Structures are given as structure tokens and as C-alpha cells.
Amino acid sequence: MTEALKPRDIVLVVDDSPDTLGMLTDALEQGGATVLVATGGADALALVERITPDIILLDAMMPGMDGFEACRQLKAGGPAAHVPVIFMTGLTETEHIVAGLEAGGVDYVTKPIVLDELFARIRVHLANARA
């Protein structure tokens, strides 16, 4: 796998699936990132009040507060308003992609996640955010 991240990049992964969280955490840590994990939208909002990540990977479909609403709240202000959000979801319809982008996401990847593609997208969005 190509080197994806700079050491100490902080990636917040928000997903209600333990399998997805485990797979992404392992891959991101191998790539040199520091990984923060939240299992829902409300947890993610509480976490970013304490630690501001460099990028957020956000599942769109979760019980309680879904990813779309979590993204809207993240982008409404506060410490993570400037942080790029990449949606991850099994939803592939154009209307869902548009909803993710309109909620404030910068990108949208579908599950099952292809790690090389995700890492390439992370690199691009981190570079743009830092420019």
C-alpha cells in the first residue's frame, strides 16, 4: 500500500460498524496516522470539542444522528468547521452523494471501501486543506 499520510496526521473515523472501524483503524495506523474513533454522530461532535482532527471519515448511515446531520453540525461552527469530511457509505444513489456534499462533505466513497482509493482521496483533501 502506498504511504498515505504524514506521521501524526489525526484521522477521526466515525462508523457504527465494528468491522469497518477495525479495518480502517489498522490501515490508517499502518499508514502512520493517529486514529480517533467515534461510533456515532453525537460521539463525533463531543470528541471534536476536545481534539481537532486533520480529516474526518464519516459513515452516512448510523442509528441516532446520521452522518449527514453530524456533518451539518460540524460545519455549522466550532473547532472542526474547517476540517475536510469524506463520507463513507453503502448508499450509491446520486441523491445520497448530493446530500453528503450539500451537508458539507468534500468527498464520498462507497462501501466496500477500497483502501488505496481512500488513501489517495485523503492525501488530496489534506493537501488542499493545508494549502
Side-chain angles (χ1 to χ4, degrees), residues 11 27 35 69 84 89 91 95 98 118 123 129:
V11 180
V35 180
E69 180 57 28
T89 182
L91 301 173
E95 66 191 84
V98 169
L118 177 62
R123 280 193 303 272

Side-chain angles (χ1 to χ4, degrees), residues 1-9 24-35 119:
M1 183 178 307
T2 49
E3 185 177 326
L5 305 165
K6 290 185 170 71
R8 293 179 300 284
D9 278 334
L24 287 173
T25 298
D26 290 347
L28 290 163
E29 286 177 346
Q30 283 182 343
T34 298
V35 180
F119 278 20

Side-chain angles (χ1 to χ4, degrees), residues 6 9 54-55 84 120-131:
K6 290 185 170 71
D9 278 334
D54 296 302
I55 194 161
R121 291 171 186 265
I122 289 172
R123 280 193 303 272
V124 166
H125 294 300
L126 282 173
N128 289 340
R130 291 180 174 135

Side-chain angles (χ1 to χ4, degrees), residues 3 18 22 25 27 29-30 32-34 40 57 61 65 71 78 88 115:
E3 185 177 326
T25 298
E29 286 177 346
Q30 283 182 343
T34 298
L57 304 179
M61 299 307 297
M65 181 187 301
C71 189
M88 313 174 295
L115 289 175

